[in-house]
Amino acid sequence: MKYSIFSLARAAFSGHKTWQRTWRDASVKDRYDVVIIGGGGHGLATAWFLASEYGIRNVAVLEKGWIGSGNAGRNTTIIRSNYGLPGNTGFYELSMKLWERMEQDLNYNTMVSQRGVINLYHSDAQRDAYARRGNTMRINGIDAELLDLAAVKKMMPFLNFDNARFPVQGGLLQRRGGTARHDAVVWGYAHAASALGVDIIENCEVTGFARDANGKVTGVETSRGTIGAGKVGMAVAGSSSRVAAMAGLRLPIESHVLQAFVSEAIKPLIPNVMTFGAGHFYVSQSDKGGLVFGGDIDGYNSYAQRGNLPVMEDVCEGGMALMPMIGRVRLLRQWGGIMDMSMDGSPIIDKTPVDGLYLNAGWCYGGFKATPGSGLVFAHLLAREELHKEAARFRLDRFRRGAVIDEKGVGAQPNLH
Amino acid sequence: MRIVCPFCGERELGEFTYLGDAKPLRPAAGGSEDEVFDYVYLRDNIAGETSEHWYHGGGCRAWLKIARNTLTHEISSVEPAAGVGQAAK
C-alpha cells in the first residue's frame, strides 16, 4: 500500500480501522539469493537497498523475535555525522544524507527531525578538540558551527551556567543532526523492502550454518528449517560473536550493555540533542514530551539486556550537573540493549574468511545513526563483492594490519569506547 | 550486581573496574604476530559462564578473578588474581 494524504483521509473516515499490515506475512522459500540474518534496522535496510539499488529481490530477512524487538527498539534515536577520522567522516555523512531523503525513498513517515545536535565543551582543551573536529567536518563538506558561551546561552537558557567544576563554555553544533523515530525506521524499511519482494520472516532463529565440502556457506539452519542461500549476510549487532561462532569465527568484538532512560512527558523544553562533554550524558526530548537520555555503557561483558545501578546513578548525575531542574522530573522507564563493542570503537563491514558469509558488525553504541548508510554499503558488498568507497576502511583485517579507526583513542579496550 | 571481595567482603559494583576476559594469556616476548594479534584483539565473548579480571580500586586495590554469567550477571566465584595472567610458556 502507498501512504499519502488521501490514504490518510480515507482511513480517517472509517475511524482508522482499515489500516492494513505494512509488510507481507511471507512464507519461507527453500532458497534465496541472499539471506540476511537479523531483522533490525541494519538488516532491513540492507535488504531494501539490495532490492531497490542493486536489483537483487530474491532476499529473505530472518529475525529471531519480531521486527523492532532488538536494538532497533532500544536506542536513543539520535542521528548525526559529526565524526573526525577518515573512514568515519565520509561514511556517517553518507548515512546522514540518506536520512534526509528516507521518508521519500521509503514512502513512510520515519519522523526525521533535524533539530540539531550540540556537543557542549567545558575547557579550553575541549574547545580546541571540538574546533578541530568541526574543521574536519567542514573540510569534508559537512555542516558544523562552533558556538561560544553567549550563543549557547541564547539557545539553551535553562542550562546550569554556574557550575564551578564544569562550566559550559560553548559547543560544537551540527544543525543537520537530530532524531528519527526508531520504530518507524524498521517498520518503514520492512514496508518498503516487502513491497519490492523481500521476504521478512519473523520468529525465525538461526541455529547454524549449512556448509558444502569446501566449507562454503550454502544456507542457514533455523528454527523453521534449513534455508538455502547464495550468500548470507550477518547484521545481528549484540549477538555477532555468537552467530559468528556457529561458523567457527572469533571476532574482535565484546558484547556490553548500554542503558537508556525516558522521563515522564513534560512541556517542550530541550530544542535539540545535547551532549554534556564533561561527563558522558546525552539528552533529547521526544515528540511525546519525554526526556530521552543515556550515558556510558556499564563497562563489563553482558548479554543480559539489563543494566546496573552505578551507571544509572552516573548518568543521572551528569544530567543534574547540566540541568539541575530535571531532578524534579520522574523517571518513567529504563532499559538496556546489548552492544557489539569493537576493539577500536568503529564498525566492521567485510567478507569473512568463510566463503559465502558476510559481516556487518561492531557498531558499538552508534548503530542507529548508521542505519541507512550501513544498509547501503552492506548491500553494495553483497551485490558487488567489493567494499563501497565510504566503507573501505571498515575491513575486518584492519586490526591485524594496524589500520584501526580509533575515534576515541583508547586502544583495544572495548569497555572504554 | 554486588561483588564479594575475598579481602573486603560484599561491596557494591561501583567500587570495581572491569578489565576483561581472564582467559587470554599474554604471549611470551618474541611471540609471533598471530599470537599477539589473537591476544590483543580476538575474544570468545561468551554468552554464559565466563571468567574475568576485575580491579577493586575502591577497596583493597587487589586484582580479582571472577566467574560470572554474562546472561544473568550471577557471580559464582571470586578469588585473588595473583599469579594468573602471566605470560604463556
Side-chain angles (χ1 to χ4, degrees), chain A residues 60-127:
Chain A
V61 177
L62 311 183
E63 167 55 43
K64 75 174 173 186
W66 32 271
I67 298 302
S69 63
N71 286 349
R74 291 171 175 271
N75 59 69
T76 45
T77 78
I78 297 163
I79 61 175
R80 58 187 171 87
S81 59
N82 53 359
Y83 280 74
L85 288 188
N88 282 341
T89 313
F91 170 79
Y92 286 102
E93 179 58 11
L94 167 74
S95 199
M96 194 65 230
K97 284 185 174 136
L98 292 170
W99 282 110
E100 290 176 316
R101 44 176 264 218
M102 174 183 280
E103 287 159 357
Q104 290 80 3
D105 284 353
L106 301 182
N107 179 234
Y108 207 92
N109 181 9
T110 54
M111 296 167 69
V112 172
S113 163
Q114 293 181 285
R115 58 186 70 179
V117 172
I118 184 160
N119 305 126
L120 298 171
Y121 60 78
H122 311 265
S123 67
D124 292 353
Q126 203 172 23
R127 178 201 58 214

Side-chain angles (χ1 to χ4, degrees), chain A residues 186-243:
Chain A
V186 277
W187 297 336
Y189 275 121
H191 158 82
S194 179
L196 293 180
V198 171
D199 283 355
I200 292 158
I201 300 159
E202 294 171 271
N203 301 307
C204 178
E205 182 170 1
V206 170
T207 55
F209 291 98
R211 321 254 303 250
D212 68 12
N214 298 323
K216 183 183 189 307
V217 168
T218 56
V220 288
E221 316 280 354
T222 77
S223 54
R224 295 176 65 173
T226 304
I227 302 172
K231 294 174 185 178
V232 176
M234 281 173 53
V236 294
S239 297
S240 297
S241 296
R242 298 162 85 176
V243 177

Side-chain angles (χ1 to χ4, degrees), chain A residues 21 23-29 32 59-61 194 197-202 224:
Chain A
R21 56 177 297 141
W23 58 89
R24 292 173 298 116
D25 190 12
S27 54
V28 186
K29 285 192 265 183
Y32 292 91
V59 174
V61 177
S194 179
V198 171
D199 283 355
I200 292 158
I201 300 159
E202 294 171 271
R224 295 176 65 173

Side-chain angles (χ1 to χ4, degrees), chain A residues 13 29 58 88 150 177 195 197 228-229 315 361 377 404:
Chain A
F13 278 117
K29 285 192 265 183
N58 185 21
N88 282 341
V315 170
V377 300
V404 295

Side-chain angles (χ1 to χ4, degrees), chain A residues 241 301-303 306 308 400, chain B residues 1 34 45 68 70 72-73:
Chain A
S241 296
N301 287 30
S302 172
Y303 286 96
R306 63 184 167 77
N308 261 302
R400 190 185 283 274
Chain B
M1 208 159 102
D34 276 351
N45 196 19
R68 188 177 64 93
T70 56
T72 63
H73 294 174

Side-chain angles (χ1 to χ4, degrees), chain B residues 29-40:
Chain B
S32 72
E33 202 176 303
D34 276 351
E35 286 169 352
V36 174
F37 166 69
D38 195 293
Y39 169 73
V40 175

